[in-house]
Amino acid sequence: MEIILKQDIKKLGEKDDIVDVKPGYGRNYLIPQGFAELATPSAKKVLAENIRQAQFKQDKIKQDAEVLAGKLESVKLTIGAKAGESGKIFGSVNTIQIADALKKQGYEVDRRRITFEEEPKVIGEYIANLNLHKEVKVQVPFEVIAE
């Protein structure tokens, strides 16, 4: 079943992508929740026109993301967390803390665009993946220290 996504869905696709999904997933979840619409020929034409009109705006957003990615390559973050004597963190470091640390340094990044290669559970160094745009991704190293 072909559908057109109305918003980004993790592990499925970005907004305005045409993707194939199982019929039950599309009919029973994506379409009723308003996350997608059926990819009929008329809907595909409307989508093509909307994409054509939004191309200039997307180019500007991509350029801004590339500039931000260039600035973020030299950034190294330090995140404080409460930890036990063995170095194990009480709880874990999450994307909100990374977004706040970036904001303090003057970089505005949405927390939903941040992922981890490895979940920070102990004190040490880790890498945060920032998906600034479909085609612009940057890795920011961060260190978790005991408070």
Side-chain angles (χ1 to χ4, degrees):
M1 162 180 229
E2 272 192 336
I3 58 168
I4 300 170
L5 297 177
K6 291 183 178 180
Q7 67 185 41
D8 296 352
I9 298 178
K10 206 173 206 177
K11 297 183 182 178
L12 185 60
E14 304 276 329
K15 180 180 179 190
D16 294 334
D17 284 351
I18 298 175
V19 295
D20 279 328
V21 296
K22 292 189 176 184
Y25 183 49
R27 258 186 273 119
N28 298 327
Y29 179 69
L30 295 173
I31 293 172
Q33 294 291 327
F35 298 148
E37 66 178 302
L38 201 56
T40 61
S42 63
K44 288 181 182 179
K45 287 180 186 177
V46 170
L47 175 66
E49 181 63 24
N50 289 343
I51 289 173
R52 189 179 65 76
Q53 290 177 358
Q55 190 61 42
F56 177 76
K57 187 176 179 183
Q58 289 298 323
D59 289 341
K60 173 81 170 105
I61 291 170
K62 183 180 175 187
Q63 287 175 350
D64 292 345
E66 288 172 346
V67 168
L68 182 60
K71 292 177 184 176
L72 286 172
E73 286 178 353
S74 62
V75 171
K76 182 158 176 24
L77 301 173
T78 304
I79 307 293
K82 295 188 183 217
E85 291 179 21
S86 64
K88 186 170 177 169
I89 299 171
F90 299 129
S92 67
V93 174
N94 56 27
T95 58
I96 296 170
Q97 291 170 303
I98 301 295
D100 288 343
L102 286 169
K103 192 172 188 176
K104 286 178 185 172
Q105 292 190 10
Y107 303 108
E108 190 72 35
V109 178
D110 186 14
R111 69 176 178 85
R112 292 172 290 208
R113 298 213 170 258
I114 301 171
T115 58
F116 298 123
E117 287 183 359
E118 176 186 348
E119 203 60 39
K121 295 282 186 183
V122 294
I123 293 173
E125 294 191 8
Y126 298 92
I127 302 236
N129 297 315
L130 279 62
N131 302 318
L132 302 174
H133 186 266
K134 269 186 189 180
E135 301 163 8
V136 181
K137 297 174 181 10
V138 67
Q139 293 185 329
V140 175
F142 68 96
E143 183 178 7
V144 179
I145 59 170
E147 287 184 331

